[in-house]
Amino acid sequence: MARATTLTPPVTVPAFLRLSGHPVRWQLLNELARGDRQVRELTASVGQRQSLTSYHLKLLRDGGLVTMRRSSADGRDTYYSLDLSACRELLGAAGGALHPGLAPPGPPPTKGGRRKPTRVLFLCTGNSSRSQMAEAILQHLGGAAVDVVSAGSHPKPIHPYAVRVMRKRGLDLSDKRSKHLDDYAGQRFDHVISLCDKVREVCPDFPGTPSVAHWSIADPAAEGHPAFVRTAEELETRIRFLLSALGCQPTE
């Protein structure tokens, strides 16, 4: 007697694999993993027509992997950002769908002796909120593994809401001062990160070959206190991923 054949039920391909499996979309994700990009920059990097690039970006946006917002430097431009938290969640779900042991582990702790701190420079226009907050968060989470400073193209006093929001997170900005980016001209950094669309346009070159990235974050001063809270949350998320890329464990 012939043995009955058991049919395997249809398998649903995990969302992350469906979205990232196309070569153009995978290339777009790789570009955005390095920093926020304008659509014309992404079009040039993937070597496709802008209409096709926009089509794939829409699929990534609809799938929750990519977000977009209008540039604060030129409202005709749009910046695309990779949602790292969503990618981590969907990637973990994809691995776990195949086998529980394939869920990605967290970053290993740094081993070995002391190493030279990684130098990071955060830039925005006024050095009054975003870059100051980023400096404080990274220095707090990175500890001795990082040496962090911030500056602006047109420095102005630190915004009181930035001081208030950081104080609630246990970080004190009350004695900080704004610095001009010229103060750091000629210095060497491992990473230079612009947080403002306007300062990106005037960011000078620094000696050596620093890793240069842009995080397109809206100026919270234009919206009020709740925007400062959201900005702090977004900065901490991005900075924790930055520490992972540096091979550092957050101090908390």
Side-chain angles (χ1 to χ4, degrees):
M1 179 181 296
R3 180 176 298 179
T5 301
T6 302
L7 296 178
T8 303
V11 175
T12 301
V13 178
F16 183 85
L17 300 181
R18 294 199 312 272
L19 288 167
S20 64
H22 191 282
V24 172
R25 292 197 289 275
W26 182 250
Q27 191 173 355
L28 289 169
L29 291 174
N30 271 270
E31 287 295 321
L32 293 173
R34 299 185 180 96
D36 300 354
R37 297 284 191 272
Q38 297 171 342
V39 66
R40 63 173 177 269
E41 295 172 319
L42 292 169
T43 298
S45 67
V46 301
Q48 302 289 339
R49 301 188 310 277
Q50 181 167 326
S51 58
L52 184 61
T53 302
S54 297
Y55 165 76
H56 287 294
L57 285 170
K58 183 179 185 304
L59 293 179
L60 293 172
R61 286 177 55 214
D62 291 345
L65 297 184
V66 169
T67 61
M68 62 170 284
R69 76 170 190 85
R70 289 291 180 184
S71 168
S72 58
D74 186 339
R76 295 170 297 180
D77 289 332
T78 298
Y79 274 101
Y80 288 85
S81 306
L82 182 63
D83 190 329
L84 291 165
S85 296
C87 286
R88 178 173 59 188
E89 181 179 346
L90 290 173
L91 182 59
L98 188 59
H99 189 284
L102 294 179
T110 302
K111 298 181 180 180
R114 289 182 176 272
R115 67 178 187 181
K116 187 177 180 180
T118 299
R119 294 206 75 202
V120 180
L121 171 63
F122 287 110
L123 297 173
C124 67
T125 301
N127 192 216
S128 60
S129 54
R130 288 163 290 184
S131 54
Q132 292 280 0
M133 295 162 75
E135 176 186 351
I137 293 170
L138 177 54
Q139 193 63 73
H140 174 67
L141 294 177
V146 294
D147 175 18
V148 194
V149 293
S150 65
S153 58
H154 295 80
K156 56 185 178 181
I158 297 179
H159 200 290
Y161 283 159
V163 177
R164 183 190 302 182
V165 168
M166 287 292 100
R167 183 181 293 123
K168 288 185 177 180
R169 302 171 76 90
L171 302 174
D172 186 8
L173 297 184
S174 60
D175 61 345
K176 299 293 184 180
R177 67 176 183 86
S178 299
K179 294 88 65 185
H180 196 283
L181 59 85
D182 288 347
D183 293 350
Y184 298 104
Q187 293 192 26
R188 290 181 176 269
F189 293 94
D190 299 296
H191 293 265
V192 176
I193 302 174
S194 56
L195 307 176
C196 165
D197 300 339
K198 294 179 181 178
V199 83
R200 186 194 186 200
E201 305 298 326
V202 298
C203 182
D205 293 327
F206 290 88
T209 55
S211 173
V212 178
H214 179 58
W215 299 352
S216 181
I217 299 177
D219 183 1
E223 300 182 44
H225 182 266
F228 282 82
V229 176
R230 294 194 301 271
T231 296
E233 292 171 350
E234 179 178 356
L235 285 170
E236 179 169 341
T237 297
R238 289 184 183 247
I239 285 168
R240 286 185 178 275
F241 278 102
L242 173 64
L243 285 169
S244 296
L246 298 179
C248 302
Q249 281 281 72
T251 57
E252 63 175 44

